[in-house]
């Protein structure tokens, strides 16, 4: 139960980060941001509102295109981003 509450809170706070970031942009900048993320502004709004889950590819694009203002860990705390940032499978093979 506690894990569920933590997951919901992390997801909510991450969506708030995305929502605040989008709100800081003009409508033209939002549309450009969505294009660079290879999605629609409507889908970004759905993700920011918590109505849709952000896929990993989009999560990475959002972090990249926001210059780190919205981080992968904010949007998808269920993914092991530390492992991916450390080199993923290559890092695991070195440790073996």
């Amino acid at each position: 139960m506690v894990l569920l509450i933590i997951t919901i809170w992390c997801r909510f706070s991450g969506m708030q980060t995305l929502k605040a970031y989008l709100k800081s942009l003009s409508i033209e900048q939002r549309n450009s941001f969505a294009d660079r993320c290879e999605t629609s502004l409507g889908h970004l709004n759905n993700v920011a509102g918590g109505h849709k889950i952000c896929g990993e590819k989009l999560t990475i694009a959002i972090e990249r295109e926001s210059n780190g203002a919205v981080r992968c860990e904010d949007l998808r705390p269920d993914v092991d981003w530390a492992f991916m940032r450390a080199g993923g499978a290559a890092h695991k093979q070195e440790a073996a």
Side-chain angles (χ1 to χ4, degrees):
M1 182 64 169
V2 172
L3 181 59
L4 176 62
I5 292 169
I6 291 170
T7 302
I8 291 169
W9 171 251
C10 288
R11 189 164 165 223
F12 174 76
S13 64
M15 298 310 116
Q16 293 300 95
T17 304
L18 177 58
K19 189 181 283 189
Y21 179 77
L22 291 174
K23 193 173 183 178
S24 75
L25 303 175
S26 69
I27 190 66
E28 294 84 11
Q29 291 171 321
R30 287 180 215 165
N31 282 313
S32 176
F33 179 74
D35 288 344
R36 293 192 316 273
C37 291
E38 298 181 8
T39 192
S40 68
L41 181 54
H43 185 64
L44 285 176
N45 286 330
N46 281 332
V47 169
H51 306 293
K52 297 282 184 181
I53 294 175
C54 194
E56 290 87 352
K57 182 179 176 184
L58 179 56
T59 302
I60 292 166
I62 289 170
E63 180 171 325
R64 180 186 65 239
E65 297 304 326
S66 72
N67 295 314
V70 182
R71 296 187 39 103
C72 294
E73 290 84 353
D74 296 330
L75 298 172
R76 290 291 305 273
D78 60 313
V79 174
D80 188 357
W81 297 108
F83 175 74
M84 298 307 295
R85 291 184 193 282
H91 178 71
K92 187 175 181 179
Q93 289 174 353
E94 290 173 9

